[in-house]
Amino acid sequence: MLYLARMDVTFPADLSAERIAELQAAEKEYSQALQHDGRFAGIWRVVGEYANYSLFDVASNDELHQILSGFPMYAYMKVKVTPLAKHPNSIR
Ligand SMILES: O=C(O)CC1=CCC(=O)O1
C-alpha cells in the first residue's frame, strides 16, 4: 500500500543546537535504513520550508504508524498522511 506523508518540523526555541544536530543525525540514520529496505520509497524537501513529502510502501496502516512514530524527530513533527490508490489512467 502506498502512502504520501507530509512532515512539518518545528523545534522548540529552547532546544539546543547540539540536541538538534543529534536528532538530525539520528533521523538520517533511521530514514536511510528504511529507504534501503524499500519501505521508504522517496523523500523530497518542500522548497523554502522545514518540511518534506515522503512516499511509503508498506503493508498496513499499523506498519506506517509504527514507522512514523519511530522517527527520532517524531515529537517535533506534524504529519499528514494521504493513502494512495491506483489511478484508472495510470499506465503503471
Ligand atoms: O524533513 C526532515 O528533515 C525531517 C525528516 C523526516 C524523515 C527524514 O528523513 O527527514
Side-chain angles (χ1 to χ4, degrees):
M1 297 163 72
L2 290 173
Y3 297 87
L4 181 68
R6 177 176 168 128
M7 306 181 209
D8 287 83
V9 181
T10 308
F11 291 121
D14 62 353
L15 205 62
S16 70
E18 291 76 16
R19 181 65 189 135
I20 289 173
E22 278 174 16
L23 286 164
Q24 289 170 327
E27 188 88 347
K28 184 173 186 175
E29 190 175 347
Y30 181 85
S31 171
Q32 291 189 339
L34 287 166
Q35 290 174 60
H36 283 299
D37 82 19
R39 290 179 293 168
F40 195 173
I43 181 167
W44 293 265
R45 178 64 75 214
V46 178
V47 175
E49 299 182 48
Y50 197 173
N52 71 73
Y53 278 102
S54 291
L55 187 64
F56 292 92
D57 188 356
V58 294
S60 65
N61 293 347
D62 289 341
E63 184 178 7
L64 181 61
H65 185 76
Q66 184 188 12
I67 287 171
L68 292 173
S69 56
F71 274 106
M73 286 166 37
Y74 183 69
Y76 307 108
M77 297 195 303
K78 197 179 107 208
V79 185
K80 178 156 176 18
V81 175
T82 304
L84 301 175
K86 189 169 173 55
H87 193 286
N89 299 346
S90 173
I91 62 166
R92 284 180 207 93

